[in-house]
Structure formats: C-alpha cells, structure tokens
Amino acid sequence: MSTALHLAKPVDMTKLMPLVAAFHTEMQIDSDEAMREAGILPLLDGSPLGAVYLMGPTRAPIGYAVITFGWSVEFGGMDAFIDEIFVRPGVRGRGMALDALISLRNMLKSVGVTAVHLEVDQADEATQRLYRRAHFKPRERYMMMTQRL
C-alpha cells in the first residue's frame, strides 16, 4: 500500500482540524479548538520549526502527521520529532501508517535530519509494534519528562 503525503497549507485547515480533534479525543489529550489551531496554524503558514503532512487523497485525507525540528548534540545535528501521527480508525490495518512513517523517515534523512523521535503510550502494544516495524527503538534508559509553561 502506498500512502501519498502532501505538505499541508493554510487552505487545508478545514480538512485537517477534524482529524486533529479526533486524534486528541482518541488519545485523551486535553485540548480545545483554539489550542489545536494555535499549535497547527504556524506550521501551515511555513514556520521553520515544523510541518504538517496530510495522508492520502488531498480532497479527503485519511490522516496526518506533524513533524517538529530541534537540534541534538548527541545525534550530531538536526533532529525531528513526530509530534502527532493519526490515521482514521476506519482505514487502519492496511499498512498506511507504516508507509507514512517510512516515507517521512526517508524524506527527513534526505534533508539532513540525523534522528527521528516519537513517543508512544506504554500500554499501547499495537502501536509499539507498528513503530518497531518502522525501525523505531525504545530508549530504555530514558523517559520523556515535561513541564507545561
């Protein structure tokens, strides 16, 4: 299965936001519409800090991925974080998420990104299997810690 990725632009906001809301609901992320728009709109407007990709047909996307960028001394340069990746529940299990992860990895590597990170719910074994198939490995010595500002 091949999942086309399209760089999302401001005109895609109305297609994208229901997907983001669905992901946040599924993952029990406490957010409202204003917060989601504040997180997405700068990326659609061309912020150098990240990008949003729609998956599937441009008229009716089946999912999305948000990539953000940082710098890592440990990994020797620019790194990326898959902040969110979502495929509509009705089309899951067809290899589209795996295809998208591999396409994103190849694209990021081609522009000089040295490492790609993501986080996964420790109890979500199915998603962990997906990420392992895409060659992500857990870093057993580390856990993500956050301070909301």
PDB file of all heavy atoms in Angstrom, residues 43-81:
ATOM      1  N   LEU A  43       2.504  26.156  11.664  1.00  0.00           N
ATOM      2  CA  LEU A  43       3.153  25.144  10.829  1.00  0.00           C
ATOM      3  C   LEU A  43       2.604  25.180   9.407  1.00  0.00           C
ATOM      4  O   LEU A  43       3.347  24.997   8.448  1.00  0.00           O
ATOM      5  CB  LEU A  43       2.975  23.760  11.438  1.00  0.00           C
ATOM      6  CG  LEU A  43       3.549  23.578  12.845  1.00  0.00           C
ATOM      7  CD1 LEU A  43       3.228  22.189  13.375  1.00  0.00           C
ATOM      8  CD2 LEU A  43       5.035  23.862  12.885  1.00  0.00           C
ATOM      9  N   LEU A  44       1.314  25.432   9.265  1.00  0.00           N
ATOM     10  CA  LEU A  44       0.716  25.547   7.940  1.00  0.00           C
ATOM     11  C   LEU A  44       1.188  26.805   7.226  1.00  0.00           C
ATOM     12  O   LEU A  44       1.263  26.837   5.997  1.00  0.00           O
ATOM     13  CB  LEU A  44      -0.817  25.549   8.028  1.00  0.00           C
ATOM     14  CG  LEU A  44      -1.480  24.311   8.619  1.00  0.00           C
ATOM     15  CD1 LEU A  44      -2.995  24.480   8.621  1.00  0.00           C
ATOM     16  CD2 LEU A  44      -1.070  23.050   7.887  1.00  0.00           C
ATOM     17  N   ASP A  45       1.498  27.834   8.013  1.00  0.00           N
ATOM     18  CA  ASP A  45       1.959  29.107   7.454  1.00  0.00           C
ATOM     19  C   ASP A  45       3.447  29.109   7.105  1.00  0.00           C
ATOM     20  O   ASP A  45       3.987  30.127   6.701  1.00  0.00           O
ATOM     21  CB  ASP A  45       1.668  30.253   8.423  1.00  0.00           C
ATOM     22  CG  ASP A  45       0.223  30.720   8.373  1.00  0.00           C
ATOM     23  OD1 ASP A  45      -0.432  30.516   7.335  1.00  0.00           O
ATOM     24  OD2 ASP A  45      -0.253  31.284   9.384  1.00  0.00           O
ATOM     25  N   GLY A  46       4.140  27.971   7.300  1.00  0.00           N
ATOM     26  CA  GLY A  46       5.536  27.885   6.879  1.00  0.00           C
ATOM     27  C   GLY A  46       6.569  28.066   7.969  1.00  0.00           C
ATOM     28  O   GLY A  46       7.729  28.351   7.678  1.00  0.00           O
ATOM     29  N   SER A  47       6.198  27.901   9.229  1.00  0.00           N
ATOM     30  CA  SER A  47       7.173  28.003  10.309  1.00  0.00           C
ATOM     31  C   SER A  47       8.339  27.049  10.050  1.00  0.00           C
ATOM     32  O   SER A  47       8.126  25.892   9.673  1.00  0.00           O
ATOM     33  CB  SER A  47       6.525  27.641  11.652  1.00  0.00           C
ATOM     34  OG  SER A  47       7.516  27.496  12.652  1.00  0.00           O
ATOM     35  N   PRO A  48       9.584  27.499  10.285  1.00  0.00           N
ATOM     36  CA  PRO A  48      10.728  26.604  10.110  1.00  0.00           C
ATOM     37  C   PRO A  48      10.831  25.561  11.228  1.00  0.00           C
ATOM     38  O   PRO A  48      11.679  24.688  11.166  1.00  0.00           O
ATOM     39  CB  PRO A  48      11.923  27.556  10.127  1.00  0.00           C
ATOM     40  CG  PRO A  48      11.462  28.720  10.945  1.00  0.00           C
ATOM     41  CD  PRO A  48       9.994  28.858  10.647  1.00  0.00           C
ATOM     42  N   LEU A  49       9.961  25.642  12.228  1.00  0.00           N
ATOM     43  CA  LEU A  49      10.026  24.736  13.369  1.00  0.00           C
ATOM     44  C   LEU A  49       9.314  23.413  13.136  1.00  0.00           C
ATOM     45  O   LEU A  49       9.416  22.503  13.960  1.00  0.00           O
ATOM     46  CB  LEU A  49       9.462  25.419  14.613  1.00  0.00           C
ATOM     47  CG  LEU A  49      10.186  26.705  15.023  1.00  0.00           C
ATOM     48  CD1 LEU A  49       9.514  27.342  16.220  1.00  0.00           C
ATOM     49  CD2 LEU A  49      11.649  26.415  15.304  1.00  0.00           C
ATOM     50  N   GLY A  50       8.576  23.306  12.030  1.00  0.00           N
ATOM     51  CA  GLY A  50       7.890  22.053  11.780  1.00  0.00           C
ATOM     52  C   GLY A  50       7.034  22.094  10.539  1.00  0.00           C
ATOM     53  O   GLY A  50       6.994  23.094   9.815  1.00  0.00           O
ATOM     54  N   ALA A  51       6.339  20.992  10.304  1.00  0.00           N
ATOM     55  CA  ALA A  51       5.478  20.870   9.129  1.00  0.00           C
ATOM     56  C   ALA A  51       4.363  19.878   9.439  1.00  0.00           C
ATOM     57  O   ALA A  51       4.496  19.027  10.321  1.00  0.00           O
ATOM     58  CB  ALA A  51       6.284  20.384   7.928  1.00  0.00           C
ATOM     59  N   VAL A  52       3.291  19.995   8.677  1.00  0.00           N
ATOM     60  CA  VAL A  52       2.167  19.071   8.781  1.00  0.00           C
ATOM     61  C   VAL A  52       1.991  18.418   7.411  1.00  0.00           C
ATOM     62  O   VAL A  52       2.001  19.102   6.387  1.00  0.00           O
ATOM     63  CB  VAL A  52       0.864  19.797   9.181  1.00  0.00           C
ATOM     64  CG1 VAL A  52      -0.292  18.818   9.266  1.00  0.00           C
ATOM     65  CG2 VAL A  52       1.031  20.570  10.484  1.00  0.00           C
ATOM     66  N   TYR A  53       1.833  17.109   7.420  1.00  0.00           N
ATOM     67  CA  TYR A  53       1.585  16.366   6.192  1.00  0.00           C
ATOM     68  C   TYR A  53       0.234  15.685   6.277  1.00  0.00           C
ATOM     69  O   TYR A  53      -0.095  15.073   7.302  1.00  0.00           O
ATOM     70  CB  TYR A  53       2.674  15.302   5.974  1.00  0.00           C
ATOM     71  CG  TYR A  53       3.993  15.908   5.620  1.00  0.00           C
ATOM     72  CD1 TYR A  53       4.889  16.294   6.604  1.00  0.00           C
ATOM     73  CD2 TYR A  53       4.328  16.151   4.287  1.00  0.00           C
ATOM     74  CE1 TYR A  53       6.100  16.891   6.279  1.00  0.00           C
ATOM     75  CE2 TYR A  53       5.538  16.745   3.955  1.00  0.00           C
ATOM     76  CZ  TYR A  53       6.414  17.107   4.952  1.00  0.00           C
ATOM     77  OH  TYR A  53       7.610  17.703   4.624  1.00  0.00           O
ATOM     78  N   LEU A  54      -0.538  15.808   5.211  1.00  0.00           N
ATOM     79  CA  LEU A  54      -1.787  15.071   5.079  1.00  0.00           C
ATOM     80  C   LEU A  54      -1.489  13.762   4.391  1.00  0.00           C
ATOM     81  O   LEU A  54      -0.641  13.696   3.484  1.00  0.00           O
ATOM     82  CB  LEU A  54      -2.801  15.872   4.268  1.00  0.00           C
ATOM     83  CG  LEU A  54      -3.308  17.151   4.932  1.00  0.00           C
ATOM     84  CD1 LEU A  54      -4.158  17.948   3.949  1.00  0.00           C
ATOM     85  CD2 LEU A  54      -4.096  16.834   6.190  1.00  0.00           C
ATOM     86  N   MET A  55      -2.207  12.703   4.772  1.00  0.00           N
ATOM     87  CA  MET A  55      -2.034  11.380   4.174  1.00  0.00           C
ATOM     88  C   MET A  55      -3.229  11.070   3.286  1.00  0.00           C
ATOM     89  O   MET A  55      -4.364  11.340   3.655  1.00  0.00           O
ATOM     90  CB  MET A  55      -1.979  10.309   5.258  1.00  0.00           C
ATOM     91  CG  MET A  55      -0.806  10.369   6.151  1.00  0.00           C
ATOM     92  SD  MET A  55      -0.974   9.044   7.384  1.00  0.00           S
ATOM     93  CE  MET A  55      -0.089   9.791   8.722  1.00  0.00           C
ATOM     94  N   GLY A  56      -2.922  10.475   2.149  1.00  0.00           N
ATOM     95  CA  GLY A  56      -3.986  10.032   1.262  1.00  0.00           C
ATOM     96  C   GLY A  56      -4.415  11.113   0.294  1.00  0.00           C
ATOM     97  O   GLY A  56      -3.682  12.068   0.044  1.00  0.00           O
ATOM     98  N   PRO A  57      -5.629  10.979  -0.253  1.00  0.00           N
ATOM     99  CA  PRO A  57      -6.106  11.931  -1.253  1.00  0.00           C
ATOM    100  C   PRO A  57      -6.208  13.352  -0.672  1.00  0.00           C
ATOM    101  O   PRO A  57      -6.638  13.525   0.464  1.00  0.00           O
ATOM    102  CB  PRO A  57      -7.502  11.423  -1.627  1.00  0.00           C
ATOM    103  CG  PRO A  57      -7.605  10.064  -1.050  1.00  0.00           C
ATOM    104  CD  PRO A  57      -6.599   9.935   0.032  1.00  0.00           C
ATOM    105  N   THR A  58      -5.816  14.337  -1.442  1.00  0.00           N
ATOM    106  CA  THR A  58      -5.840  15.716  -0.945  1.00  0.00           C
ATOM    107  C   THR A  58      -7.262  16.192  -0.650  1.00  0.00           C
ATOM    108  O   THR A  58      -7.464  16.995   0.243  1.00  0.00           O
ATOM    109  CB  THR A  58      -5.164  16.685  -1.931  1.00  0.00           C
ATOM    110  OG1 THR A  58      -5.764  16.537  -3.213  1.00  0.00           O
ATOM    111  CG2 THR A  58      -3.682  16.416  -2.022  1.00  0.00           C
ATOM    112  N   ARG A  59      -8.237  15.697  -1.404  1.00  0.00           N
ATOM    113  CA  ARG A  59      -9.621  16.135  -1.168  1.00  0.00           C
ATOM    114  C   ARG A  59     -10.230  15.525   0.077  1.00  0.00           C
ATOM    115  O   ARG A  59     -11.099  16.123   0.694  1.00  0.00           O
ATOM    116  CB  ARG A  59     -10.497  15.813  -2.370  1.00  0.00           C
ATOM    117  CG  ARG A  59     -10.289  16.787  -3.503  1.00  0.00           C
ATOM    118  CD  ARG A  59     -11.422  16.711  -4.462  1.00  0.00           C
ATOM    119  NE  ARG A  59     -11.043  15.860  -5.580  1.00  0.00           N
ATOM    120  CZ  ARG A  59     -11.857  15.470  -6.525  1.00  0.00           C
ATOM    121  NH1 ARG A  59     -13.112  15.819  -6.494  1.00  0.00           N
ATOM    122  NH2 ARG A  59     -11.418  14.721  -7.495  1.00  0.00           N
ATOM    123  N   ALA A  60      -9.807  14.319   0.422  1.00  0.00           N
ATOM    124  CA  ALA A  60     -10.364  13.618   1.582  1.00  0.00           C
ATOM    125  C   ALA A  60      -9.255  12.839   2.287  1.00  0.00           C
ATOM    126  O   ALA A  60      -9.169  11.618   2.176  1.00  0.00           O
ATOM    127  CB  ALA A  60     -11.483  12.693   1.147  1.00  0.00           C
ATOM    128  N   PRO A  61      -8.376  13.543   3.020  1.00  0.00           N
ATOM    129  CA  PRO A  61      -7.246  12.873   3.660  1.00  0.00           C
ATOM    130  C   PRO A  61      -7.717  11.839   4.687  1.00  0.00           C
ATOM    131  O   PRO A  61      -8.747  12.017   5.334  1.00  0.00           O
ATOM    132  CB  PRO A  61      -6.469  14.006   4.319  1.00  0.00           C
ATOM    133  CG  PRO A  61      -7.381  15.163   4.359  1.00  0.00           C
ATOM    134  CD  PRO A  61      -8.407  14.969   3.299  1.00  0.00           C
ATOM    135  N   ILE A  62      -6.926  10.784   4.820  1.00  0.00           N
ATOM    136  CA  ILE A  62      -7.249   9.723   5.767  1.00  0.00           C
ATOM    137  C   ILE A  62      -6.435   9.849   7.052  1.00  0.00           C
ATOM    138  O   ILE A  62      -6.633   9.075   7.989  1.00  0.00           O
ATOM    139  CB  ILE A  62      -7.045   8.331   5.136  1.00  0.00           C
ATOM    140  CG1 ILE A  62      -5.623   8.139   4.582  1.00  0.00           C
ATOM    141  CG2 ILE A  62      -8.055   8.094   4.041  1.00  0.00           C
ATOM    142  CD1 ILE A  62      -4.673   7.539   5.531  1.00  0.00           C
ATOM    143  N   GLY A  63      -5.545  10.817   7.109  1.00  0.00           N
ATOM    144  CA  GLY A  63      -4.737  11.005   8.297  1.00  0.00           C
ATOM    145  C   GLY A  63      -3.779  12.167   8.136  1.00  0.00           C
ATOM    146  O   GLY A  63      -3.828  12.893   7.136  1.00  0.00           O
ATOM    147  N   TYR A  64      -2.929  12.329   9.141  1.00  0.00           N
ATOM    148  CA  TYR A  64      -1.960  13.429   9.117  1.00  0.00           C
ATOM    149  C   TYR A  64      -0.781  13.078  10.007  1.00  0.00           C
ATOM    150  O   TYR A  64      -0.851  12.175  10.844  1.00  0.00           O
ATOM    151  CB  TYR A  64      -2.600  14.745   9.582  1.00  0.00           C
ATOM    152  CG  TYR A  64      -2.836  14.819  11.072  1.00  0.00           C
ATOM    153  CD1 TYR A  64      -1.946  15.494  11.905  1.00  0.00           C
ATOM    154  CD2 TYR A  64      -3.941  14.206  11.655  1.00  0.00           C
ATOM    155  CE1 TYR A  64      -2.160  15.556  13.272  1.00  0.00           C
ATOM    156  CE2 TYR A  64      -4.163  14.268  13.014  1.00  0.00           C
ATOM    157  CZ  TYR A  64      -3.269  14.947  13.825  1.00  0.00           C
ATOM    158  OH  TYR A  64      -3.465  14.991  15.184  1.00  0.00           O
ATOM    159  N   ALA A  65       0.304  13.805   9.823  1.00  0.00           N
ATOM    160  CA  ALA A  65       1.476  13.709  10.691  1.00  0.00           C
ATOM    161  C   ALA A  65       2.019  15.111  10.911  1.00  0.00           C
ATOM    162  O   ALA A  65       2.061  15.921   9.982  1.00  0.00           O
ATOM    163  CB  ALA A  65       2.549  12.827  10.063  1.00  0.00           C
ATOM    164  N   VAL A  66       2.415  15.386  12.136  1.00  0.00           N
ATOM    165  CA  VAL A  66       3.056  16.652  12.494  1.00  0.00           C
ATOM    166  C   VAL A  66       4.505  16.351  12.854  1.00  0.00           C
ATOM    167  O   VAL A  66       4.777  15.510  13.709  1.00  0.00           O
ATOM    168  CB  VAL A  66       2.352  17.328  13.690  1.00  0.00           C
ATOM    169  CG1 VAL A  66       3.109  18.589  14.114  1.00  0.00           C
ATOM    170  CG2 VAL A  66       0.900  17.653  13.359  1.00  0.00           C
ATOM    171  N   ILE A  67       5.415  17.028  12.169  1.00  0.00           N
ATOM    172  CA  ILE A  67       6.852  16.885  12.396  1.00  0.00           C
ATOM    173  C   ILE A  67       7.372  18.203  12.949  1.00  0.00           C
ATOM    174  O   ILE A  67       7.063  19.264  12.400  1.00  0.00           O
ATOM    175  CB  ILE A  67       7.593  16.591  11.067  1.00  0.00           C
ATOM    176  CG1 ILE A  67       6.948  15.451  10.293  1.00  0.00           C
ATOM    177  CG2 ILE A  67       9.077  16.352  11.319  1.00  0.00           C
ATOM    178  CD1 ILE A  67       6.944  14.134  10.977  1.00  0.00           C
ATOM    179  N   THR A  68       8.159  18.143  14.018  1.00  0.00           N
ATOM    180  CA  THR A  68       8.807  19.345  14.538  1.00  0.00           C
ATOM    181  C   THR A  68      10.315  19.109  14.538  1.00  0.00           C
ATOM    182  O   THR A  68      10.781  17.972  14.519  1.00  0.00           O
ATOM    183  CB  THR A  68       8.316  19.696  15.958  1.00  0.00           C
ATOM    184  OG1 THR A  68       8.605  18.607  16.833  1.00  0.00           O
ATOM    185  CG2 THR A  68       6.816  19.983  15.951  1.00  0.00           C
ATOM    186  N   PHE A  69      11.073  20.192  14.551  1.00  0.00           N
ATOM    187  CA  PHE A  69      12.522  20.105  14.418  1.00  0.00           C
ATOM    188  C   PHE A  69      13.237  20.654  15.636  1.00  0.00           C
ATOM    189  O   PHE A  69      12.767  21.579  16.290  1.00  0.00           O
ATOM    190  CB  PHE A  69      12.986  20.875  13.174  1.00  0.00           C
ATOM    191  CG  PHE A  69      12.392  20.340  11.907  1.00  0.00           C
ATOM    192  CD1 PHE A  69      11.389  21.035  11.249  1.00  0.00           C
ATOM    193  CD2 PHE A  69      12.802  19.121  11.392  1.00  0.00           C
ATOM    194  CE1 PHE A  69      10.823  20.542  10.092  1.00  0.00           C
ATOM    195  CE2 PHE A  69      12.239  18.610  10.236  1.00  0.00           C
ATOM    196  CZ  PHE A  69      11.244  19.324   9.584  1.00  0.00           C
ATOM    197  N   GLY A  70      14.380  20.074  15.919  1.00  0.00           N
ATOM    198  CA  GLY A  70      15.232  20.528  17.012  1.00  0.00           C
ATOM    199  C   GLY A  70      16.682  20.270  16.647  1.00  0.00           C
ATOM    200  O   GLY A  70      17.020  19.998  15.491  1.00  0.00           O
ATOM    201  N   TRP A  71      17.542  20.335  17.633  1.00  0.00           N
ATOM    202  CA  TRP A  71      18.966  20.120  17.437  1.00  0.00           C
ATOM    203  C   TRP A  71      19.455  19.181  18.528  1.00  0.00           C
ATOM    204  O   TRP A  71      19.073  19.322  19.687  1.00  0.00           O
ATOM    205  CB  TRP A  71      19.722  21.441  17.506  1.00  0.00           C
ATOM    206  CG  TRP A  71      21.130  21.316  17.012  1.00  0.00           C
ATOM    207  CD1 TRP A  71      22.257  21.112  17.766  1.00  0.00           C
ATOM    208  CD2 TRP A  71      21.552  21.345  15.654  1.00  0.00           C
ATOM    209  NE1 TRP A  71      23.358  21.020  16.953  1.00  0.00           N
ATOM    210  CE2 TRP A  71      22.951  21.173  15.643  1.00  0.00           C
ATOM    211  CE3 TRP A  71      20.893  21.509  14.438  1.00  0.00           C
ATOM    212  CZ2 TRP A  71      23.711  21.148  14.487  1.00  0.00           C
ATOM    213  CZ3 TRP A  71      21.638  21.489  13.279  1.00  0.00           C
ATOM    214  CH2 TRP A  71      23.022  21.311  13.308  1.00  0.00           C
ATOM    215  N   SER A  72      20.308  18.238  18.177  1.00  0.00           N
ATOM    216  CA  SER A  72      20.807  17.274  19.140  1.00  0.00           C
ATOM    217  C   SER A  72      22.320  17.160  19.046  1.00  0.00           C
ATOM    218  O   SER A  72      22.852  16.818  17.986  1.00  0.00           O
ATOM    219  CB  SER A  72      20.191  15.899  18.873  1.00  0.00           C
ATOM    220  OG  SER A  72      20.806  14.923  19.695  1.00  0.00           O
ATOM    221  N   VAL A  73      22.994  17.458  20.145  1.00  0.00           N
ATOM    222  CA  VAL A  73      24.431  17.229  20.203  1.00  0.00           C
ATOM    223  C   VAL A  73      24.683  15.722  20.166  1.00  0.00           C
ATOM    224  O   VAL A  73      25.565  15.238  19.449  1.00  0.00           O
ATOM    225  CB  VAL A  73      25.037  17.876  21.470  1.00  0.00           C
ATOM    226  CG1 VAL A  73      26.505  17.499  21.631  1.00  0.00           C
ATOM    227  CG2 VAL A  73      24.858  19.388  21.431  1.00  0.00           C
ATOM    228  N   GLU A  74      23.880  14.968  20.915  1.00  0.00           N
ATOM    229  CA  GLU A  74      24.041  13.509  20.972  1.00  0.00           C
ATOM    230  C   GLU A  74      23.965  12.869  19.593  1.00  0.00           C
ATOM    231  O   GLU A  74      24.729  11.953  19.279  1.00  0.00           O
ATOM    232  CB  GLU A  74      22.960  12.904  21.868  1.00  0.00           C
ATOM    233  CG  GLU A  74      22.999  11.394  21.931  1.00  0.00           C
ATOM    234  CD  GLU A  74      21.897  10.789  22.795  1.00  0.00           C
ATOM    235  OE1 GLU A  74      21.143  11.536  23.447  1.00  0.00           O
ATOM    236  OE2 GLU A  74      21.802   9.553  22.800  1.00  0.00           O
ATOM    237  N   PHE A  75      23.040  13.350  18.754  1.00  0.00           N
ATOM    238  CA  PHE A  75      22.849  12.756  17.435  1.00  0.00           C
ATOM    239  C   PHE A  75      23.565  13.528  16.329  1.00  0.00           C
ATOM    240  O   PHE A  75      23.437  13.213  15.155  1.00  0.00           O
ATOM    241  CB  PHE A  75      21.365  12.592  17.128  1.00  0.00           C
ATOM    242  CG  PHE A  75      20.713  11.560  17.997  1.00  0.00           C
ATOM    243  CD1 PHE A  75      19.890  11.942  19.039  1.00  0.00           C
ATOM    244  CD2 PHE A  75      20.956  10.210  17.801  1.00  0.00           C
ATOM    245  CE1 PHE A  75      19.300  10.989  19.859  1.00  0.00           C
ATOM    246  CE2 PHE A  75      20.369   9.253  18.608  1.00  0.00           C
ATOM    247  CZ  PHE A  75      19.538   9.646  19.652  1.00  0.00           C
ATOM    248  N   GLY A  76      24.298  14.559  16.702  1.00  0.00           N
ATOM    249  CA  GLY A  76      25.168  15.242  15.755  1.00  0.00           C
ATOM    250  C   GLY A  76      24.477  16.133  14.744  1.00  0.00           C
ATOM    251  O   GLY A  76      24.927  16.248  13.611  1.00  0.00           O
ATOM    252  N   GLY A  77      23.411  16.791  15.142  1.00  0.00           N
ATOM    253  CA  GLY A  77      22.776  17.727  14.219  1.00  0.00           C
ATOM    254  C   GLY A  77      21.282  17.847  14.426  1.00  0.00           C
ATOM    255  O   GLY A  77      20.762  17.576  15.510  1.00  0.00           O
ATOM    256  N   MET A  78      20.625  18.239  13.349  1.00  0.00           N
ATOM    257  CA  MET A  78      19.185  18.471  13.417  1.00  0.00           C
ATOM    258  C   MET A  78      18.468  17.141  13.638  1.00  0.00           C
ATOM    259  O   MET A  78      18.774  16.138  12.992  1.00  0.00           O
ATOM    260  CB  MET A  78      18.685  19.130  12.128  1.00  0.00           C
ATOM    261  CG  MET A  78      17.210  19.473  12.179  1.00  0.00           C
ATOM    262  SD  MET A  78      16.617  20.548  10.839  1.00  0.00           S
ATOM    263  CE  MET A  78      17.234  19.756   9.386  1.00  0.00           C
ATOM    264  N   ASP A  79      17.516  17.165  14.574  1.00  0.00           N
ATOM    265  CA  ASP A  79      16.667  16.006  14.767  1.00  0.00           C
ATOM    266  C   ASP A  79      15.221  16.418  14.577  1.00  0.00           C
ATOM    267  O   ASP A  79      14.902  17.600  14.465  1.00  0.00           O
ATOM    268  CB  ASP A  79      16.913  15.331  16.122  1.00  0.00           C
ATOM    269  CG  ASP A  79      16.627  16.200  17.324  1.00  0.00           C
ATOM    270  OD1 ASP A  79      16.344  17.408  17.171  1.00  0.00           O
ATOM    271  OD2 ASP A  79      16.678  15.676  18.449  1.00  0.00           O
ATOM    272  N   ALA A  80      14.363  15.434  14.484  1.00  0.00           N
ATOM    273  CA  ALA A  80      12.942  15.697  14.276  1.00  0.00           C
ATOM    274  C   ALA A  80      12.145  14.870  15.272  1.00  0.00           C
ATOM    275  O   ALA A  80      12.606  13.840  15.768  1.00  0.00           O
ATOM    276  CB  ALA A  80      12.532  15.342  12.847  1.00  0.00           C
ATOM    277  N   PHE A  81      10.952  15.338  15.542  1.00  0.00           N
ATOM    278  CA  PHE A  81      10.050  14.669  16.458  1.00  0.00           C
ATOM    279  C   PHE A  81       8.720  14.496  15.729  1.00  0.00           C
ATOM    280  O   PHE A  81       8.176  15.470  15.210  1.00  0.00           O
ATOM    281  CB  PHE A  81       9.871  15.518  17.723  1.00  0.00           C
ATOM    282  CG  PHE A  81       9.258  14.792  18.869  1.00  0.00           C
ATOM    283  CD1 PHE A  81      10.055  14.254  19.861  1.00  0.00           C
ATOM    284  CD2 PHE A  81       7.891  14.643  18.969  1.00  0.00           C
ATOM    285  CE1 PHE A  81       9.498  13.584  20.938  1.00  0.00           C
ATOM    286  CE2 PHE A  81       7.316  13.961  20.034  1.00  0.00           C
ATOM    287  CZ  PHE A  81       8.129  13.433  21.027  1.00  0.00           C
TER     288      PHE A  81
END
